[in-house]
Amino acid sequence: MNDAIGLIETKGLLALVEATDAMAKAANVQIVKRVDIGGAYVTTIVSGDVGSVRAAVEAGANAAAQVGELVGSHIIARPSEGLSPAFLG
């Protein structure tokens, strides 16, 4: 498991695609998963070292806010071992 996971949630796919692209370009992170919440809400999850995830989430949140509706962003440093299998498996 990497040192951190980052999440960005948007309303609408366009903003999420823009955010995910910005995250991948901003730092050395791995795109783990896209989650369709429903009602047009979607989330992208990335992983990597804490500094890279912070930089990626900040860039992604800014990008999403410019082209659509950013619902939220969050970083979890050193997630518990059970978190990944439970939610990302």
Side-chain angles (χ1 to χ4, degrees):
M1 179 85 194
N2 288 305
D3 296 330
I5 59 173
L7 302 96
I8 289 189
E9 186 171 305
T10 64
K11 186 169 185 182
L13 185 60
L14 177 64
L16 189 71
V17 170
E18 186 71 26
T20 305
D21 182 58
M23 287 192 290
K25 290 176 179 175
N28 184 22
V29 293
Q30 177 184 8
I31 300 167
V32 175
K33 189 174 192 175
R34 183 184 99 198
V35 181
D36 296 318
I37 307 298
Y41 291 98
V42 284
T43 300
T44 290
I45 303 169
V46 298
S47 66
D49 65 83
V50 175
S52 294
V53 170
R54 284 191 195 283
V57 169
E58 183 177 327
N62 289 336
Q66 288 180 356
V67 299
E69 186 177 337
L70 174 67
V71 175
S73 63
H74 191 68
I75 299 161
I76 301 174
R78 297 177 309 281
S80 171
E81 289 182 27
L83 186 68
S84 182
F87 288 97
L88 308 178

